[in-house]
Amino acid sequence: MIVPGTSRLGGVIGWPVAHSLSPRLHGHWLAEYGIDGAYVPLPVRPFALGSALEGLRDAGFRGVNVTVPHKEAAYAVAGICDQAAGLLGAANLLLFGDGGFEARNSDAEGLAASLMAELGAKGLDGANVVLLGAGGAARAAILACASLKANAVCVLNRSPRRAAILVEALRPRINIALASGGLDEWPRVAADALLLIHATPAGMKGAGAAPAAAPLVDVAALPAAAAVCDLVYNPLETPLLTAARARGLAIIDGLGMLLHQAAPAFEALYGVRPRVTLALRAELESVLRDKP
Ligand code: NAP
């Protein structure tokens, strides 16, 4: 691949970053739209974030996507941010400008778009949602549910205190009913939920995590009309989604969120709003199938 001096430069910083699907994703769009650009994986150790960002900006990069473990630190170094990054306290995109760094976060927008694509026009209107996990992805999921006009989100976490802290932090800032508890409350809250969102790494393979043998909760407690969304996308079908499928529930995997959160970043870096197509999804599915 030849990268001429005129190319628009972008990339993704993380540690580690070799597992990231973003170079493949953005590379697909650069080729599809015939854009003179390049998008590269950038392994940056946590202590080197500041110097790496300065260097990339000085070397002419337009900006970078940001993944684990840099999302919060990247937000902290930015002088300005969009509303979602401000609410999440984390950035998944940093844009480099003359005035400094601009933090953006499209995780919630990406999940909302994925849910809309799968659930149809009614989306989450008036629905009760149960959310498992209280980390950064769960925070983005709450924003997504609020943007889709869900009625309420009940956040259940292994550590109930962390779920309570998350809910207390967001309650004054967004317009949706929020409750919290421990995983033991699942049977009680599942009965009137129309969507379960799983936002913990349980069931994920790679990055040293062994796939969990059993889902964190029993999907038998959900109504027959409920859907189950897992933010984990490797494997594409997690034990939780397998159990939901076996029960006849609608399932939504984490790849949709990944694809849709990337579209606004690509537009910011390269000036074209890309389409999330079946061909793109099929390409990434085949990459995931080959991953250890
Ligand atoms: P995080 O900030 O580290 O949050 C971890 C959360 O998961 C915490 O609430 C933690 O509970 C809980 N947890 C961890 N291991 C657990 C286990 N074995 N059993 C029960 N609970 C467990 O992680 P994150 O950034 O929110 O990411 C969560 C998942 O979402 C990851 O798998 C990530 O790959 C995925 N994700 C996907 C996308 C996408 O585009 N599809 C985007 C972002 C994230 P405690 O508080 O009790 O420790």
Side-chain angles (χ1 to χ4, degrees), residues 105-121:
N105 198 310
S106 57
D107 280 341
E109 182 182 343
L111 177 57
S114 173
L115 292 173
M116 283 303 288
E118 300 295 333
L119 295 173

Side-chain angles (χ1 to χ4, degrees), residues 115 128-132 156 186 193-198 217-219 222 226-230 240-241 244 252:
L115 292 173
N128 292 333
V129 179
V130 179
L131 174 62
L132 304 180
L156 303 184
W186 164 251
L194 268 187
L195 176 67
L196 166 64
I197 302 177
H198 173 248
V217 296
D218 184 355
V219 294
L222 286 166
V228 176
C229 172
D230 201 329
L240 176 69
L241 293 186
I252 302 161

Side-chain angles (χ1 to χ4, degrees), residues 68 71 107 133-138 157-159 162 183 198-202 204 216 230-233 254-255 257-258 261:
V68 177
K71 286 184 168 188
D107 280 341
N157 194 43
R158 182 172 62 180
S159 146
R162 189 168 173 196
L183 295 173
H198 173 248
T200 89
M204 188 170 85
L216 292 181
D230 201 329
L231 301 195
V232 172
Y233 53 81
L255 186 54
M257 174 179 176
L258 184 81
Q261 63 77 33

Side-chain angles (χ1 to χ4, degrees), residues 242 264 272:
T242 301
V272 173

Side-chain angles (χ1 to χ4, degrees), residues 153-169:
V153 178
C154 180
V155 183
L156 303 184
N157 194 43
R158 182 172 62 180
S159 146
R161 184 168 152 67
R162 189 168 173 196
I165 290 169
L166 173 61
V167 162
E168 292 315 314

